[in-house]
Every structure is written in C-alpha cells, then in structure tokens.
Amino acid sequence: SRVAAHCREVLEGEPASNLRRLVPSDFGPLARGLPVEAFDAAIDACGVKEVDVEDIYPCTALQEGLLMETLLSRTANVEQLALKLAGPLDAKLWREAWAAVVRRHGVLRTRLVAAGG
C-alpha cells in the first residue's frame, strides 16, 4: 500500500518511486481546488522540490495581466537597477547577506506559473 511504502521510505531514507509527498490540499484553502496535474506542472516549471513549496495562491487580476504581458514579451515589466559601489566589496559576505534576505522574505521567492505550465 502507499502508506506502507511511505513508512518504508521514512524509515529507510529512500524514496518510494510512485509516492507523492504533497498535493494541493496540503496548502491553504485557495489551493484546494487546484488539480494535482496542474500542481505537478507548476512544480516542474519552477524546478523545485515539492517539499520546498510553502504555499499556493491564484493570481490576482493584475498579476494575470502582468504575466500575460511577460509571456508575450520577455522584456515586458522588467526593471533593473545598477549601482556602482565604492570601496572594497566582500562578494562572499554580500551573497550570504542577500541569501539571508531571500530566506526571511517569502515574497522574494514568489514564482508565477501560467496555467498549463
């Protein structure tokens, strides 16, 4: 059974081949109507592990519009800011600090996925 396979996986530390860890119903009420196939497609499109998904929300109307514009033109809605820093820069410390900011603020890890991938 799937339960027995899951128990073996947990105890042995090896993944059972056809076992799903998470499904949309594991998330908030806004994700519960999402078909499992769409969930799987979103996971694949983002290139993340299921266990790394924190939550799932539908797009707002504004986000849908921005996503559509971006799908039509990869340069739409792109904003970049270049800064020239004076003095020495510890690149390793800079990367670690930025990684800490990203870990702390979930919005910086947000991904938008078009329906159907």
Side-chain angles (χ1 to χ4, degrees):
S1 79
R2 290 179 62 138
V3 174
H6 177 68
C7 290
R8 277 193 301 279
E9 174 187 337
V10 170
L11 293 173
E12 298 169 6
E14 295 183 21
S17 59
N18 294 325
L19 182 65
R20 171 181 310 299
R21 294 184 188 278
L22 298 173
V23 294
S25 61
D26 292 321
F27 299 95
L30 297 176
R32 292 205 174 108
L34 183 67
V36 173
E37 297 78 20
F39 176 75
D40 289 341
I43 295 295
D44 291 343
C46 290
V48 298
K49 299 175 195 163
E50 292 172 354
V51 296
D52 291 332
V53 177
E54 294 179 25
D55 213 337
I56 300 171
Y57 301 97
C59 286
T60 65
L62 175 61
Q63 288 171 322
E64 284 183 6
L66 293 171
L67 180 58
M68 179 57 68
E69 288 177 354
T70 302
L71 291 172
L72 293 173
S73 170
R74 292 306 224 181
T75 59
N77 306 307
V78 173
E79 182 68 34
Q80 290 185 331
L81 176 64
L83 301 173
K84 185 174 183 178
L85 303 175
L89 173 69
D90 183 334
K92 181 178 183 282
L93 186 59
W94 177 264
R95 281 190 298 277
E96 289 172 359
W98 184 246
V101 170
V102 171
R103 278 192 308 274
R104 184 172 184 163
H105 300 285
V107 70
L108 296 175
R109 297 185 304 276
T110 298
R111 303 200 184 170
L112 298 180
V113 179

